[in-house]
Amino acid sequence: MKKGTMSTQELIGVKNFSRNGIQTNGHGEVVYFMISPTNISVLSRAAIGQKIKSLMELIMAEPNIEVICMDARENFDENKIYLDERIEDEPNGKIRELLMRDKAFLDDIQVQMSTSREFLIAYRLRNESDEQSFSVLNRVEKCINEQGFNCNRCEKDDVKRILARHCGIKTDDTPIADTDGEETVSKWIIPD
């Protein structure tokens, strides 16, 4: 299949949502654990060193995990590039000043939100039965928590939000439908 005719789902290799996370095309099931971040700016050097050591021990104890850090908020880079272009092209000095103020405002917002990060641990299940996957995931979650990290297994809405952000889709707090256009289609289908 040509790249231009592939769906987003096919491009990123996701087959379907599973009970625990997402089922991929040929790479097993991926389960996500959300880690509650620690404000390291208030920790001592020794405490930060202990966090790093705990993360290393976690990775050694569970070699199949992947650590993911992603922005939890909007990125304003495209808006700032647009404003820079407008500032260059704008002949009116007063409008140029307003555009510069807008850009400064976006910079301030981005600095305030720069600490908005989400930390995830992804774990791949390969060919485990439901009973085996349940015990494996409980063991992984227990191991993460024993290393001093507060984690919760991501639910379906969390996984959809993570995938949306990965694909560059802006998300807010409204739930994301399982299928694009699902809400619109449901308005037109008459139940039996």
Side-chain angles (χ1 to χ4, degrees):
M1 184 178 278
K2 292 182 183 178
K3 184 178 177 182
T5 60
M6 294 176 78
S7 69
T8 304
Q9 186 174 344
E10 292 167 327
L11 280 172
I12 63 175
V14 173
K15 188 188 286 183
N16 206 347
F17 288 104
S18 64
R19 187 176 73 154
N20 301 306
I22 55 172
Q23 191 66 40
T24 63
N25 291 324
H27 299 288
E29 181 180 4
V30 180
V31 180
Y32 295 98
F33 297 90
M34 183 85 61
I35 303 292
S36 299
T38 303
N39 186 354
I40 63 170
S41 65
V42 297
L43 295 178
S44 67
R45 197 174 273 253
I48 294 172
Q50 182 57 45
K51 282 284 185 193
I52 294 169
K53 183 179 179 207
S54 295
L55 183 59
M56 288 180 359
E57 289 173 359
L58 173 64
I59 292 170
M60 288 189 304
E62 294 293 340
N64 293 331
I65 67 169
E66 300 170 33
V67 179
I68 303 165
C69 175
M70 58 192 299
D71 287 334
R73 296 286 180 247
E74 296 293 330
N75 183 334
F76 298 109
D77 290 343
E78 289 180 19
N79 296 34
K80 291 191 301 188
I81 290 169
Y82 169 75
L83 288 174
D84 283 337
E85 291 170 358
R86 281 290 321 274
I87 289 168
E88 280 184 32
D89 296 341
E90 184 56 54
N92 188 329
K94 292 189 184 221
I95 293 177
R96 201 169 35 251
E97 184 180 333
L98 289 172
L99 292 169
M100 289 189 297
R101 285 186 190 177
D102 283 347
K103 185 176 177 214
F105 175 70
L106 289 179
D107 284 335
D108 288 344
I109 290 173
Q110 196 157 11
V111 166
Q112 291 170 11
M113 293 186 339
S114 66
T115 58
S116 297
R117 304 273 189 260
E118 284 183 335
F119 298 93
L120 306 164
I121 290 183
Y123 188 85
R124 283 186 198 277
L125 293 169
R126 299 184 194 271
N127 304 322
E128 283 92 350
S129 68
D130 281 348
E131 287 179 20
Q132 289 174 325
S133 66
F134 182 74
S135 65
V136 167
L137 293 175
N138 285 340
R139 181 182 50 78
V140 169
E141 189 169 359
K142 181 180 178 192
C143 185
I144 295 168
N145 285 315
E146 283 176 349
Q147 293 300 329
F149 299 99
N150 186 14
C151 82
N152 295 309
R153 203 174 305 171
C154 291
E155 295 181 7
K156 187 175 183 179
D157 285 339
D158 296 322
V159 173
K160 288 193 280 188
R161 187 176 43 77
I162 290 163
L163 289 173
R165 193 166 307 119
H166 174 73
C167 293
I169 300 168
K170 294 178 169 112
T171 60
D172 52 14
D173 293 336
T174 58
I176 301 170
D178 287 353
T179 309
D180 192 23
E182 181 177 341
E183 188 177 314
T184 305
V185 170
S186 67
K187 290 178 185 177
W188 294 98
I189 294 177
I190 301 170
D192 291 334

